[in-house]
């Protein structure tokens, strides 16, 4: 197919695991008017790196693959950017201060540390031993898209939040 992919698995992310799941994450902000989501390989067989996993009896010159896909999220960004504040089980609140700044407040326990992960799964910021009930996150200088914030609070619970930077 002659489609241009909007998201591709990074070359360092090996997807040949035969037992567990491999996490892929990406963000595509639409221009408007899109109607379909197509998942798959858009490269020809000459430009695809193939790893034989040793399963099956298919001769080496015939390559097949089966991918099981789970947990796809497609969200209209206009609904996300209009949310001023989200509450998570009354333990956290997430407020959008402006397009670059966000505030997370914890009600019951201080936040011990946090990690911000971009849409490619790369850690872009990490802070340890904070011990604060309130955090202000600044994503200025980072591209628009969805970011994941992993919070650890003092009672060793971990919470994952999503932030959209328009």
């Amino acid at each position: 197919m002659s489609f241009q992919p909007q998201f591709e698995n990074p070359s360092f992310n090996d997807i040949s695991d035969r037992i567990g799941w491999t996490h892929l994450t990406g963000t595509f902000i639409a221009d408007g008017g899109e109607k379909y989501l197509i998942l798959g390989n858009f490269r020809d067989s000459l430009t695809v790196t193939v790893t034989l996993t040793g399963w099956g009896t298919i001769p080496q010159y015939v390559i097949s693959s089966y991918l099981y896909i789970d947990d796809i999220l497609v969200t209209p960004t206009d609904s996300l950017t209009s949310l001023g504040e989200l509450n998570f089980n009354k333990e956290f609140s997430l407020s959008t201060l402006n397009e670059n700044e966000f505030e997370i407040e914890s009600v019951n326990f201080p936040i011990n540390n946090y990690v911000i992960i971009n849409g490619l799964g790369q850690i872009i910021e990490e802070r340890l031993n904070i011990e604060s009930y309130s955090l202000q996150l600044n994503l200025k200088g980072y591209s628009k898209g969805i970011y994941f914030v992993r919070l650890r609070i003092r009672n060793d619970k971990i919470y994952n939040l999503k932030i959209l930077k328009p």
Side-chain angles (χ1 to χ4, degrees):
M1 290 191 260
S2 61
F3 294 118
Q4 176 64 36
Q6 302 302 320
F7 168 76
E8 291 188 272
N9 180 46
S11 60
F12 60 83
N13 192 18
D14 183 15
I15 58 172
S16 63
D17 187 348
R18 298 183 300 178
I19 298 171
W21 290 91
T22 301
H23 185 227
L24 300 177
T25 184
T27 302
F28 167 66
I29 298 183
D31 295 326
E34 290 81 0
K35 293 183 179 182
Y36 304 102
L37 170 70
I38 302 173
L39 305 173
N41 177 23
F42 298 96
R43 304 291 177 204
D44 61 43
S45 60
L46 298 175
T47 59
V48 174
T49 302
V50 176
T51 303
L52 297 177
T53 60
W55 279 19
T57 57
I58 298 173
Q60 248 181 318
Y61 58 88
V62 177
I63 304 297
S64 298
S65 66
Y66 296 94
L67 299 175
Y68 298 96
I69 299 171
D70 184 30
D71 197 16
I72 301 235
L73 173 67
V74 177
T75 306
T77 57
D78 58 346
S79 67
L80 285 174
T81 56
S82 67
L83 293 176
E85 185 170 317
L86 297 174
N87 290 311
F88 300 91
N89 299 328
K90 299 189 180 190
E91 293 189 44
F92 291 100
S93 67
L94 170 63
S95 301
T96 303
L97 304 176
N98 59 51
E99 68 180 20
N100 293 311
E101 296 179 311
F102 304 87
E103 183 174 54
I104 298 173
E105 294 186 270
S106 174
V107 176
N108 299 315
F109 296 99
I111 299 168
N112 185 266
N113 58 45
Y114 73 87
V115 175
I116 301 176
I117 302 166
N118 67 14
L120 296 174
Q122 301 164 325
I123 295 174
I124 62 168
E125 187 176 327
E126 181 174 21
R127 287 200 44 212
L128 305 173
N129 302 318
I130 301 167
E131 297 300 325
S132 175
Y133 286 86
S134 178
L135 295 176
Q136 285 199 351
L137 306 177
N138 190 334
L139 297 179
K140 186 176 182 175
Y142 294 113
S143 60
K144 62 183 178 178
I146 295 179
Y147 291 84
F148 304 92
V149 180
R150 182 172 296 138
L151 301 171
R152 181 183 295 270
I153 61 174
R154 192 176 69 189
N155 65 353
D156 284 334
K157 286 188 178 179
I158 295 176
Y159 295 88
N160 294 302
L161 312 176
K162 293 179 187 175
I163 293 177
L164 175 72
K165 182 179 187 285

